[in-house]
Amino acid sequence: MTDSPLGGAAASRRLTLTIGILTLNEEDNIEACLRSASFADQVVVVDSGSVDRTTAIACGLGAQVFRYEDWQGFALQRNRLLSHAKGDYVFFLDADETISPAFREELEAIVQSGEEAIWMVRWRMVAFGKELKYLRSTAKVERLFWRGLLREYTGVVHEEAQLSRANVTRHLMRTPLLHHSRSTVHSSLEKLTQYAMLGAAKRAEEGVRGGILRGMASSIAMFVRLYFFHFGFLCGGAGFLYCVFVALESFFRYVALAYDRPYLSGDVRR
């Protein structure tokens, strides 16, 4: 890592971390998520209007909870979260993710380095009560920011971080983040519509065209890629189900682009 840019009294003080979480009806996940994040100097939960026990659980575990029910997209919710963040670093955690001891150790070391940069994470997938140990995940998402670099988020559906300067250094964290992607078949079926419509809304914003044939091609390609080339077949029944649900999301995403396009307003919440 590069030398710390901090000087004087700032260089000698302990740097701080804010962990921020966006929620909507996450009572099944939020307790494990928050307990894993409890080491942070500040934990902020921005809720979009949960009608279950999400906010009560979060308050009981000591998180700072703010409710904003006037949903206007993910970018605004993230900006609201940023307005409450006091740490030198901000880490965005989803409610269905948990921080392992190894991930915590790496995260704390980064915070104390003082480097002004951005860090991406990879996932270790957990589905249907089983860790998909052999499933190779290649997705990388930006989650940890030096607070001074992050000006705001823009975009109604596909939110994008706007930075305070160009040519920012980016790193990939070594330790994967635990992502409890699908806990039951029932919840996966409920989430199928949400994920498919969110993906459709993003692609509609980008001008992508859909259709049944394109959906079929995309879903078949997705299943083959995940199940065979990313070794989902080594993960038993849980791995098969995971690959099927991801493929179905891909199919309905492109079908919705063709048949529901006038209704893709972006009001789809994670």
Side-chain angles (χ1 to χ4, degrees):
M1 291 186 176
T2 61
D3 294 336
S4 170
L6 304 175
S12 63
R13 70 176 174 86
R14 177 181 171 276
L15 299 176
T16 57
L17 170 68
T18 294
I19 292 182
I21 306 162
L22 301 182
T23 60
L24 177 67
N25 297 327
E26 293 285 357
E27 67 178 5
D28 293 336
N29 297 312
I30 194 63
E31 181 173 355
C33 174
L34 288 175
R35 289 193 184 281
S36 76
S38 61
F39 65 93
D41 302 282
Q42 180 191 30
V43 178
V44 176
V45 171
V46 167
D47 187 80
S48 301
S50 293
V51 295
D52 62 6
R53 297 180 58 250
T54 297
T55 56
I57 294 171
C59 288
L61 291 173
Q64 297 178 19
V65 179
F66 304 91
R67 288 177 65 92
Y68 297 97
E69 300 182 22
D70 58 328
W71 176 256
Q72 299 177 51
F74 295 111
L76 180 58
Q77 292 299 85
R78 290 195 185 276
N79 290 337
R80 287 166 166 170
L81 193 157
L82 286 172
S83 71
H84 299 292
K86 307 301 182 185
D88 299 294
Y89 289 84
V90 178
F91 182 76
F92 290 98
L93 184 67
D94 285 350
D96 60 357
E97 296 169 342
T98 55
I99 295 173
S100 68
F103 192 95
R104 169 183 173 174
E105 182 178 350
E106 184 177 356
L107 182 55
E108 289 180 317
I110 291 172
V111 170
Q112 292 314 308
S113 76
E115 183 178 4
E116 297 184 6
I118 296 171
W119 284 262
M120 298 176 290
V121 301
R122 294 173 292 114
W123 286 296
R124 282 168 51 199
M125 304 302 297
V126 179
F128 310 105
K130 179 180 178 181
E131 182 182 345
L132 307 183
K133 295 181 180 179
Y134 304 104
L135 184 69
R136 184 165 58 91
S137 176
T138 58
K140 303 179 182 68
V141 291
E142 295 178 351
R143 288 295 189 85
L144 177 62
F145 297 81
W146 172 260
R147 179 65 182 87
L149 292 175
L150 190 50
R151 192 172 71 245
E152 64 176 349
Y153 278 89
T154 57
V156 175
V157 177
H158 195 182
E159 70 272 25
E160 182 178 353
Q162 303 298 321
L163 306 179
S164 59
R165 66 170 185 257
N167 302 318
V168 175
T169 301
R170 287 172 169 81
H171 303 288
L172 176 64
M173 293 185 67
R174 298 186 306 275
T175 310
L177 185 65
L178 281 171
H179 183 200
H180 300 266
S181 176
R182 291 160 177 80
S183 57
T184 65
V185 172
H186 181 270
S187 64
S188 298
L189 288 169
E190 291 180 331
K191 290 283 188 179
L192 177 60
T193 300
Q194 182 183 17
Y195 291 162
M197 297 306 291
L198 176 61
K202 287 182 178 180
R203 284 158 181 78
E205 188 180 58
E206 297 164 356
V208 176
R209 298 180 64 84
I212 291 176
L213 291 179
R214 185 164 189 180
M216 291 177 62
S218 176
S219 62
I220 292 170
M222 179 65 72
F223 180 82
V224 169
R225 181 166 65 89
L226 289 176
Y227 194 67
F228 295 104
F229 295 107
H230 286 195
F231 308 119
F233 69 93
L234 295 176
C235 301
F240 177 80
L241 284 174
Y242 174 82
C243 296
V244 166
F245 273 110
V246 174
L248 286 173
E249 288 164 17
S250 186
F251 172 73
F252 285 110
R253 181 183 305 138
Y254 285 101
V255 171
L257 268 174
Y259 289 87
D260 289 6
R261 199 179 192 100
Y263 310 104
L264 296 176
S265 63
D267 189 12
V268 185
R269 310 185 193 190
R270 290 192 184 99

